[in-house]
Amino acid sequence: MSYIWKQTIPAGGKWSGRIGRGKSVTFTAQESGANVSVLLYNIHDLTERYNMPDTLKAQHTAHLTKGHVLMSDNGRALASIISDTIGWHDTISGYTTRSLTHQKYGASTYQESRNEWRRNGEENFSMELLRNGLTARDIVPNLNLFSKVYCDEEGNMNFVSSHCKKGDFITLRTEMDLLFVLSNTPNPLDLRGTYPSVPIEITVDEAAPVSSDDYCLNFRPENKRAFENTWSYDLLLGNKTLSTI
Amino acid sequence: MAVFNRVESNRNIENAIYDETVLAGDGWMHELKPGQALRIIDIEGNQAADTLFFDAENLEDHYSAVSTIANQGNIYLSTGTVLLSQSGKELVKIVADTCGRHDTLGGACSAQSNTVRYAHDTLPMHNCRDTFMLQLSKYDSRYTKRDLAPNVNFFMNVPVTPSGGLTFDDGVSAPGYYVEMEAINPTLVLISNCPQLNNPCNNYNPTPIRLVIWDSL
């Protein structure tokens, strides 16, 4: 796979960075059983961020896969899922905390465990948010790439353990300039008693512009209107839109 | 279909310390002290009471939908649900519920999300997030749009299927149904009585809710 930038996040690790619009961002599981918790913000207005309810209800879905658009709380398309080998990514289970991580995997400290210290989503997010001028107040329901959590008729949430295989990947196309905040920590509903040890590789490349036959654009009429909102925003800012329509 | 957990309250309205009707499209913000109970009554049925909670001792710590549902392993809120803040603090507990199912995945309507869901020309219509912002702006100048976390939709039915679908359904709430919650810690409750005119779940007819508060038993 070609790329202009590549980074591996080890298990327990975190990363934040700004990725401009019109890029393809591919996350690849280096082993089976991956989970990477993701928060997304508009670089130019950090109060605009990924919105789980708006994303789900606009597309009448409780899971995310190819064709779905990640929508902001301002009705715009932040990014679209342009490829996905796994068919289901979670956005309703949240992220781990220190107390949950200790409870599930046993207490660990850096003093004893050094780089095997079991870190958690809340603290990873908090550190990377502060680095970017935000605080824990800005944590919102996040994406959990590579995790499948389905609900039965009674609403009980079920984590599927064998969902993610080594080499599975998902590619997001950025529709706006985005701040990514990432934590490679387990899904809070993961049933395994052992802290997963799965590195994630991220590659970033240029994406082709959005054409009139784009899969994500045409996935639902709601998606097209979210793209149109993003393009209007670009035009008012004096940016060229990334669409070829 | 889920088995509804219908639990009626022992509290008598004659003993309440507060009793207000909030019209559709209006907002409401009130602090509950530990042990106080708030009942929200769906007067005419099929209304959505979009509700957010904040830790009254730390205004920046808001309700967390994902922590609340992951903690109980179930996406629907009903009797027994403890609503958690972002930091994991227990804010309120649902102690009675004659409706049986309340949503916390669907979020609140906004002018912007209305343009995505329905049509661009819905932008000027009334919506819950504007109501939330008006209430927050009157309450404390420290509040900003950052504090608009995904909320609870009392009386709204948003079923999720095992194959990952999500729909807005009618038929769970009815006139007089209510949900009652007790504050565990000092909690600010923010309500937008939903003005949505584009969604069949309230039969395109937003109606009033009644809010009743009791002191601790």
Side-chain angles (χ1 to χ4, degrees), chain A residues 27 33 41 50 60 95 116 132 153 164 202 212 219 223:
Chain A
F27 297 83
Y41 302 82
Y50 171 69
H60 297 265
Y95 47 87
E116 300 304 310
N132 290 283
E153 297 293 326
C164 166
I202 309 169
S212 59
F219 192 73
N223 294 13

Side-chain angles (χ1 to χ4, degrees), chain A residues 172-189:
Chain A
L172 307 181
R173 181 181 61 211
T174 52
E175 310 298 351
M176 295 175 67
D177 294 333
L178 296 179
L179 169 65
F180 280 73
V181 179
L182 310 177
S183 175
N184 185 2
T185 40
N187 188 293
L189 299 181

Side-chain angles (χ1 to χ4, degrees), chain A residues 137-151:
Chain A
R137 176 188 187 185
D138 297 287
I139 298 176
V140 292
N142 56 293
L143 310 171
N144 282 310
L145 302 183
F146 305 109
S147 284
K148 178 171 182 175
V149 174
Y150 75 91
C151 297

Side-chain angles (χ1 to χ4, degrees), chain B residues 162-177:
Chain B
S163 59
L166 177 147
T167 53
F168 287 77
D169 263 15
D170 195 358
V172 173
S173 189
Y177 280 19

Side-chain angles (χ1 to χ4, degrees), chain A residues 3-4 14 18 24 32 63 71 79 100-101 120 141 153 160 162 174 233 243 245:
Chain A
Y3 57 85
I4 55 176
K14 59 190 175 56
R18 294 165 187 236
S24 66
S32 63
H63 74 296
M71 296 182 190
L100 180 68
T101 305
N120 64 81
E153 297 293 326
V160 178
S162 55
T174 52
Y233 177 75
S243 105
I245 302 165

Side-chain angles (χ1 to χ4, degrees), chain A residues 7 36 96 124 129 149 181 187 190 198 211 219 222 234 244:
Chain A
Q7 177 86 25
V36 59
T96 53
N124 277 350
L129 286 169
V149 174
V181 179
N187 188 293
D190 193 327
V198 184
S211 57
F219 192 73
E222 291 90 340
D234 281 329
T244 59

Side-chain angles (χ1 to χ4, degrees), chain B residues 17 31-38 181-183 213-216:
Chain B
I17 59 164
E31 182 177 337
L32 293 180
K33 297 185 169 51
Q36 287 189 330
L38 167 67
M181 64 208 79
E182 277 178 16
I213 296 174
W214 289 263
D215 248 334
S216 49

